[in-house]
Amino acid sequence: MKLKILPSLPRLLSVILLTGILYTLPAPAAHANILGDLYRGLEQFSELPDQVNDLQDSYHQTVNELEQTKDKLGQTVGELDQTKNQLEAYRSENTSLQEQNRQLTLMIDELRDERAARESYIHRLKVTAATGLGLIAGYFILTRVIRLGMRSRSKRGDRLH
């Protein structure tokens, strides 16, 4: 244990020596001015009501500012509630509009399909009508050609006989 104290012994001795020197140095003399101290004390005491009044005014001003801030906060909370209600109304309206949009899209798709089916039907009717007219016209033309052919053969046959 003695070995642990030996390395710090010079430091310890220097601290003790320095402390002893500081206590032996002369201290500055105190001035005794009782009347000046009394006057300064009375002066400070007479200024206390003004300081108290200033503190009260500052307190009242702070209370007023706090009340104003509280009122503004209440207004802001009310506005926030209104905004929340509007936001929920907008969300609800948006949901219903999305549903209407979906229904309109389905209706448009159905109308488009019906139009395509109608155009296809009209096209088939046109093709059928054109084919029918073509067949009728072909029938009349063919019958005329056959009649002409038969007439010319029968005229040729009459000449031969």
Side-chain angles (χ1 to χ4, degrees), residues 53-71:
N53 288 339
D54 290 343
L55 284 174
Q56 285 179 343
D57 291 343
S58 174
Y59 172 77
H60 290 300
Q61 183 179 2
T62 305
V63 167
N64 289 338
E65 288 175 1
L66 181 62
E67 287 296 323
Q68 290 173 355
T69 305
K70 191 171 151 185
D71 292 341

PDB file of all heavy atoms in Angstrom, residues 53-71:
ATOM      1  N   ASN A  53     -44.851  46.622  -9.026  1.00  0.00           N
ATOM      2  CA  ASN A  53     -45.837  47.089 -10.003  1.00  0.00           C
ATOM      3  C   ASN A  53     -45.441  46.669 -11.416  1.00  0.00           C
ATOM      4  O   ASN A  53     -46.294  46.250 -12.212  1.00  0.00           O
ATOM      5  CB  ASN A  53     -45.998  48.609  -9.927  1.00  0.00           C
ATOM      6  CG  ASN A  53     -46.736  49.045  -8.679  1.00  0.00           C
ATOM      7  OD1 ASN A  53     -47.460  48.259  -8.070  1.00  0.00           O
ATOM      8  ND2 ASN A  53     -46.541  50.291  -8.272  1.00  0.00           N
ATOM      9  N   ASP A  54     -44.159  46.826 -11.733  1.00  0.00           N
ATOM     10  CA  ASP A  54     -43.690  46.386 -13.061  1.00  0.00           C
ATOM     11  C   ASP A  54     -43.915  44.888 -13.246  1.00  0.00           C
ATOM     12  O   ASP A  54     -44.356  44.437 -14.319  1.00  0.00           O
ATOM     13  CB  ASP A  54     -42.202  46.720 -13.245  1.00  0.00           C
ATOM     14  CG  ASP A  54     -41.935  48.205 -13.374  1.00  0.00           C
ATOM     15  OD1 ASP A  54     -42.906  48.959 -13.640  1.00  0.00           O
ATOM     16  OD2 ASP A  54     -40.760  48.611 -13.217  1.00  0.00           O
ATOM     17  N   LEU A  55     -43.629  44.121 -12.209  1.00  0.00           N
ATOM     18  CA  LEU A  55     -43.832  42.674 -12.291  1.00  0.00           C
ATOM     19  C   LEU A  55     -45.314  42.343 -12.450  1.00  0.00           C
ATOM     20  O   LEU A  55     -45.692  41.460 -13.225  1.00  0.00           O
ATOM     21  CB  LEU A  55     -43.277  41.975 -11.052  1.00  0.00           C
ATOM     22  CG  LEU A  55     -41.759  41.833 -10.989  1.00  0.00           C
ATOM     23  CD1 LEU A  55     -41.350  41.257  -9.631  1.00  0.00           C
ATOM     24  CD2 LEU A  55     -41.240  40.950 -12.098  1.00  0.00           C
ATOM     25  N   GLN A  56     -46.189  43.077 -11.720  1.00  0.00           N
ATOM     26  CA  GLN A  56     -47.628  42.843 -11.853  1.00  0.00           C
ATOM     27  C   GLN A  56     -48.115  43.202 -13.256  1.00  0.00           C
ATOM     28  O   GLN A  56     -48.905  42.470 -13.850  1.00  0.00           O
ATOM     29  CB  GLN A  56     -48.400  43.661 -10.809  1.00  0.00           C
ATOM     30  CG  GLN A  56     -48.316  43.087  -9.409  1.00  0.00           C
ATOM     31  CD  GLN A  56     -49.068  43.939  -8.394  1.00  0.00           C
ATOM     32  OE1 GLN A  56     -49.379  45.099  -8.659  1.00  0.00           O
ATOM     33  NE2 GLN A  56     -49.326  43.372  -7.225  1.00  0.00           N
ATOM     34  N   ASP A  57     -47.636  44.337 -13.767  1.00  0.00           N
ATOM     35  CA  ASP A  57     -48.015  44.728 -15.137  1.00  0.00           C
ATOM     36  C   ASP A  57     -47.549  43.678 -16.145  1.00  0.00           C
ATOM     37  O   ASP A  57     -48.292  43.295 -17.055  1.00  0.00           O
ATOM     38  CB  ASP A  57     -47.418  46.094 -15.495  1.00  0.00           C
ATOM     39  CG  ASP A  57     -48.052  47.236 -14.718  1.00  0.00           C
ATOM     40  OD1 ASP A  57     -49.158  47.021 -14.157  1.00  0.00           O
ATOM     41  OD2 ASP A  57     -47.437  48.327 -14.672  1.00  0.00           O
ATOM     42  N   SER A  58     -46.322  43.226 -15.956  1.00  0.00           N
ATOM     43  CA  SER A  58     -45.788  42.194 -16.847  1.00  0.00           C
ATOM     44  C   SER A  58     -46.606  40.912 -16.725  1.00  0.00           C
ATOM     45  O   SER A  58     -46.915  40.261 -17.733  1.00  0.00           O
ATOM     46  CB  SER A  58     -44.324  41.933 -16.507  1.00  0.00           C
ATOM     47  OG  SER A  58     -43.830  40.851 -17.254  1.00  0.00           O
ATOM     48  N   TYR A  59     -47.002  40.579 -15.506  1.00  0.00           N
ATOM     49  CA  TYR A  59     -47.816  39.386 -15.277  1.00  0.00           C
ATOM     50  C   TYR A  59     -49.168  39.524 -15.972  1.00  0.00           C
ATOM     51  O   TYR A  59     -49.632  38.605 -16.647  1.00  0.00           O
ATOM     52  CB  TYR A  59     -47.989  39.158 -13.771  1.00  0.00           C
ATOM     53  CG  TYR A  59     -48.960  38.059 -13.442  1.00  0.00           C
ATOM     54  CD1 TYR A  59     -48.597  36.719 -13.572  1.00  0.00           C
ATOM     55  CD2 TYR A  59     -50.251  38.351 -13.014  1.00  0.00           C
ATOM     56  CE1 TYR A  59     -49.494  35.710 -13.280  1.00  0.00           C
ATOM     57  CE2 TYR A  59     -51.147  37.343 -12.722  1.00  0.00           C
ATOM     58  CZ  TYR A  59     -50.772  36.024 -12.847  1.00  0.00           C
ATOM     59  OH  TYR A  59     -51.653  35.034 -12.552  1.00  0.00           O
ATOM     60  N   HIS A  60     -49.827  40.691 -15.793  1.00  0.00           N
ATOM     61  CA  HIS A  60     -51.131  40.909 -16.418  1.00  0.00           C
ATOM     62  C   HIS A  60     -51.013  40.880 -17.942  1.00  0.00           C
ATOM     63  O   HIS A  60     -51.886  40.334 -18.628  1.00  0.00           O
ATOM     64  CB  HIS A  60     -51.747  42.238 -15.952  1.00  0.00           C
ATOM     65  CG  HIS A  60     -52.194  42.218 -14.523  1.00  0.00           C
ATOM     66  ND1 HIS A  60     -53.133  41.338 -14.045  1.00  0.00           N
ATOM     67  CD2 HIS A  60     -51.822  42.976 -13.459  1.00  0.00           C
ATOM     68  CE1 HIS A  60     -53.329  41.537 -12.758  1.00  0.00           C
ATOM     69  NE2 HIS A  60     -52.537  42.544 -12.363  1.00  0.00           N
ATOM     70  N   GLN A  61     -49.942  41.460 -18.456  1.00  0.00           N
ATOM     71  CA  GLN A  61     -49.730  41.446 -19.911  1.00  0.00           C
ATOM     72  C   GLN A  61     -49.535  40.006 -20.396  1.00  0.00           C
ATOM     73  O   GLN A  61     -50.098  39.596 -21.413  1.00  0.00           O
ATOM     74  CB  GLN A  61     -48.515  42.296 -20.275  1.00  0.00           C
ATOM     75  CG  GLN A  61     -48.274  42.403 -21.757  1.00  0.00           C
ATOM     76  CD  GLN A  61     -47.069  43.271 -22.060  1.00  0.00           C
ATOM     77  OE1 GLN A  61     -46.391  43.771 -21.178  1.00  0.00           O
ATOM     78  NE2 GLN A  61     -46.791  43.445 -23.338  1.00  0.00           N
ATOM     79  N   THR A  62     -48.773  39.237 -19.650  1.00  0.00           N
ATOM     80  CA  THR A  62     -48.549  37.834 -20.012  1.00  0.00           C
ATOM     81  C   THR A  62     -49.851  37.046 -19.938  1.00  0.00           C
ATOM     82  O   THR A  62     -50.145  36.224 -20.818  1.00  0.00           O
ATOM     83  CB  THR A  62     -47.493  37.206 -19.079  1.00  0.00           C
ATOM     84  OG1 THR A  62     -46.308  37.988 -19.114  1.00  0.00           O
ATOM     85  CG2 THR A  62     -47.182  35.788 -19.474  1.00  0.00           C
ATOM     86  N   VAL A  63     -50.667  37.322 -18.907  1.00  0.00           N
ATOM     87  CA  VAL A  63     -51.961  36.642 -18.776  1.00  0.00           C
ATOM     88  C   VAL A  63     -52.851  37.003 -19.962  1.00  0.00           C
ATOM     89  O   VAL A  63     -53.517  36.136 -20.544  1.00  0.00           O
ATOM     90  CB  VAL A  63     -52.635  37.000 -17.432  1.00  0.00           C
ATOM     91  CG1 VAL A  63     -54.095  36.573 -17.410  1.00  0.00           C
ATOM     92  CG2 VAL A  63     -51.889  36.347 -16.285  1.00  0.00           C
ATOM     93  N   ASN A  64     -52.880  38.303 -20.339  1.00  0.00           N
ATOM     94  CA  ASN A  64     -53.680  38.729 -21.493  1.00  0.00           C
ATOM     95  C   ASN A  64     -53.209  38.049 -22.780  1.00  0.00           C
ATOM     96  O   ASN A  64     -54.024  37.587 -23.589  1.00  0.00           O
ATOM     97  CB  ASN A  64     -53.635  40.250 -21.659  1.00  0.00           C
ATOM     98  CG  ASN A  64     -54.405  40.970 -20.565  1.00  0.00           C
ATOM     99  OD1 ASN A  64     -55.282  40.386 -19.937  1.00  0.00           O
ATOM    100  ND2 ASN A  64     -54.064  42.223 -20.314  1.00  0.00           N
ATOM    101  N   GLU A  65     -51.893  38.005 -22.957  1.00  0.00           N
ATOM    102  CA  GLU A  65     -51.347  37.344 -24.151  1.00  0.00           C
ATOM    103  C   GLU A  65     -51.702  35.856 -24.142  1.00  0.00           C
ATOM    104  O   GLU A  65     -52.031  35.281 -25.186  1.00  0.00           O
ATOM    105  CB  GLU A  65     -49.830  37.526 -24.218  1.00  0.00           C
ATOM    106  CG  GLU A  65     -49.403  38.931 -24.565  1.00  0.00           C
ATOM    107  CD  GLU A  65     -47.905  39.111 -24.507  1.00  0.00           C
ATOM    108  OE1 GLU A  65     -47.173  38.131 -24.221  1.00  0.00           O
ATOM    109  OE2 GLU A  65     -47.447  40.239 -24.753  1.00  0.00           O
ATOM    110  N   LEU A  66     -51.667  35.254 -22.964  1.00  0.00           N
ATOM    111  CA  LEU A  66     -52.025  33.845 -22.841  1.00  0.00           C
ATOM    112  C   LEU A  66     -53.497  33.631 -23.191  1.00  0.00           C
ATOM    113  O   LEU A  66     -53.845  32.685 -23.894  1.00  0.00           O
ATOM    114  CB  LEU A  66     -51.730  33.347 -21.427  1.00  0.00           C
ATOM    115  CG  LEU A  66     -52.025  31.881 -21.146  1.00  0.00           C
ATOM    116  CD1 LEU A  66     -51.170  30.984 -22.023  1.00  0.00           C
ATOM    117  CD2 LEU A  66     -51.790  31.567 -19.684  1.00  0.00           C
ATOM    118  N   GLU A  67     -54.366  34.533 -22.723  1.00  0.00           N
ATOM    119  CA  GLU A  67     -55.791  34.441 -23.041  1.00  0.00           C
ATOM    120  C   GLU A  67     -56.018  34.599 -24.547  1.00  0.00           C
ATOM    121  O   GLU A  67     -56.808  33.873 -25.149  1.00  0.00           O
ATOM    122  CB  GLU A  67     -56.591  35.504 -22.271  1.00  0.00           C
ATOM    123  CG  GLU A  67     -56.735  35.227 -20.797  1.00  0.00           C
ATOM    124  CD  GLU A  67     -57.532  33.973 -20.504  1.00  0.00           C
ATOM    125  OE1 GLU A  67     -58.507  33.699 -21.217  1.00  0.00           O
ATOM    126  OE2 GLU A  67     -57.167  33.266 -19.551  1.00  0.00           O
ATOM    127  N   GLN A  68     -55.319  35.559 -25.154  1.00  0.00           N
ATOM    128  CA  GLN A  68     -55.447  35.755 -26.607  1.00  0.00           C
ATOM    129  C   GLN A  68     -54.987  34.515 -27.358  1.00  0.00           C
ATOM    130  O   GLN A  68     -55.638  34.063 -28.304  1.00  0.00           O
ATOM    131  CB  GLN A  68     -54.640  36.972 -27.062  1.00  0.00           C
ATOM    132  CG  GLN A  68     -55.217  38.296 -26.607  1.00  0.00           C
ATOM    133  CD  GLN A  68     -54.305  39.468 -26.941  1.00  0.00           C
ATOM    134  OE1 GLN A  68     -53.194  39.281 -27.425  1.00  0.00           O
ATOM    135  NE2 GLN A  68     -54.780  40.677 -26.668  1.00  0.00           N
ATOM    136  N   THR A  69     -53.870  33.961 -26.914  1.00  0.00           N
ATOM    137  CA  THR A  69     -53.346  32.750 -27.558  1.00  0.00           C
ATOM    138  C   THR A  69     -54.321  31.598 -27.378  1.00  0.00           C
ATOM    139  O   THR A  69     -54.566  30.814 -28.299  1.00  0.00           O
ATOM    140  CB  THR A  69     -51.974  32.384 -26.958  1.00  0.00           C
ATOM    141  OG1 THR A  69     -51.104  33.502 -27.081  1.00  0.00           O
ATOM    142  CG2 THR A  69     -51.365  31.196 -27.659  1.00  0.00           C
ATOM    143  N   LYS A  70     -54.925  31.521 -26.184  1.00  0.00           N
ATOM    144  CA  LYS A  70     -55.902  30.478 -25.902  1.00  0.00           C
ATOM    145  C   LYS A  70     -57.125  30.635 -26.798  1.00  0.00           C
ATOM    146  O   LYS A  70     -57.641  29.653 -27.345  1.00  0.00           O
ATOM    147  CB  LYS A  70     -56.292  30.562 -24.424  1.00  0.00           C
ATOM    148  CG  LYS A  70     -57.086  29.421 -23.896  1.00  0.00           C
ATOM    149  CD  LYS A  70     -57.174  29.569 -22.385  1.00  0.00           C
ATOM    150  CE  LYS A  70     -58.417  28.961 -21.830  1.00  0.00           C
ATOM    151  NZ  LYS A  70     -58.568  29.194 -20.411  1.00  0.00           N
ATOM    152  N   ASP A  71     -57.601  31.888 -26.967  1.00  0.00           N
ATOM    153  CA  ASP A  71     -58.739  32.141 -27.853  1.00  0.00           C
ATOM    154  C   ASP A  71     -58.402  31.766 -29.296  1.00  0.00           C
ATOM    155  O   ASP A  71     -59.204  31.139 -29.992  1.00  0.00           O
ATOM    156  CB  ASP A  71     -59.166  33.611 -27.784  1.00  0.00           C
ATOM    157  CG  ASP A  71     -59.770  33.980 -26.436  1.00  0.00           C
ATOM    158  OD1 ASP A  71     -60.182  33.054 -25.700  1.00  0.00           O
ATOM    159  OD2 ASP A  71     -59.822  35.193 -26.120  1.00  0.00           O
TER     160      ASP A  71
END
